[in-house]
Amino acid sequence: MLKKGTKLYSILTGSCPKCHEESMYENTNPYALSQLFKMHERCSHCGTKYKIEPSFFYGSMYVSYGVGIAFAVAAFVIAFLFLGASLPVTFIAIVGTLVVFMPVIIRFSRNIWINFFIKYDPTAAKKHHPAVEG
């Protein structure tokens, strides 16, 4: 189901949106909080520059709002509708979910944002020659 060449693959794995060959992040664990935002400058396989322009990932903050709402709705449905929790307990479940999944939400949002601008190219990794770049 999750195959290279799909936007969903790049978004869920955090891999290069152009070649899908390596992670964009220096540490793939989003819970390594000190390294949450640290990204490689370029893909070592295809040479894609991840920070297209200064402050490029500020746009991902808008995406994170939507992703956060999705997580909050999921927490509400599970706590209130499936488990039958009271509203105060459901509110605590929503806040707890957002706090616990904050690093994941941030990474997903960055992955979604960059995938708006860069398309998959199956030949990208084959075209790139590191010795040519200066």
Side-chain angles (χ1 to χ4, degrees):
M1 178 181 131
L2 196 62
K3 295 185 290 188
K4 283 185 179 182
T6 63
K7 295 265 183 208
L8 192 59
Y9 178 86
S10 177
I11 291 168
L12 293 178
T13 62
S15 60
C16 172
K18 192 165 199 170
C19 70
H20 294 186
E21 291 297 324
E22 77 171 6
S23 176
M24 294 185 292
Y25 302 98
E26 291 180 10
N27 187 336
T28 57
N29 179 4
Y31 289 98
L33 297 179
S34 65
Q35 298 178 324
L36 179 64
F37 296 106
K38 291 185 180 178
M39 299 178 71
H40 298 289
E41 189 172 324
R42 294 182 178 272
C43 175
S44 65
H45 292 275
C46 69
T48 298
K49 186 176 180 182
Y50 297 131
K51 294 178 184 173
I52 297 170
E53 60 187 35
S55 307
F56 172 70
F57 285 106
Y58 282 173
S60 69
M61 290 188 297
Y62 295 103
V63 176
S64 73
Y65 179 77
V67 174
I69 294 296
F71 273 75
V73 167
F76 172 80
V77 168
I78 292 168
F80 189 72
L81 300 179
F82 289 155
L83 301 178
S86 65
L87 282 178
V89 171
T90 301
F91 176 75
I92 292 168
I94 291 169
V95 171
T97 298
L98 291 175
V99 169
V100 168
F101 286 103
M102 179 202 60
V104 173
I105 292 170
I106 289 170
R107 287 272 177 101
F108 275 168
S109 300
R110 282 179 163 230
N111 298 348
I112 291 168
W113 185 250
I114 197 166
N115 272 279
F116 279 140
F117 300 97
I118 301 175
K119 294 185 179 188
Y120 176 69
D121 179 3
T123 62
K126 297 172 188 163
K127 292 179 191 173
H128 179 67
H129 301 304
V132 175
E133 284 202 27

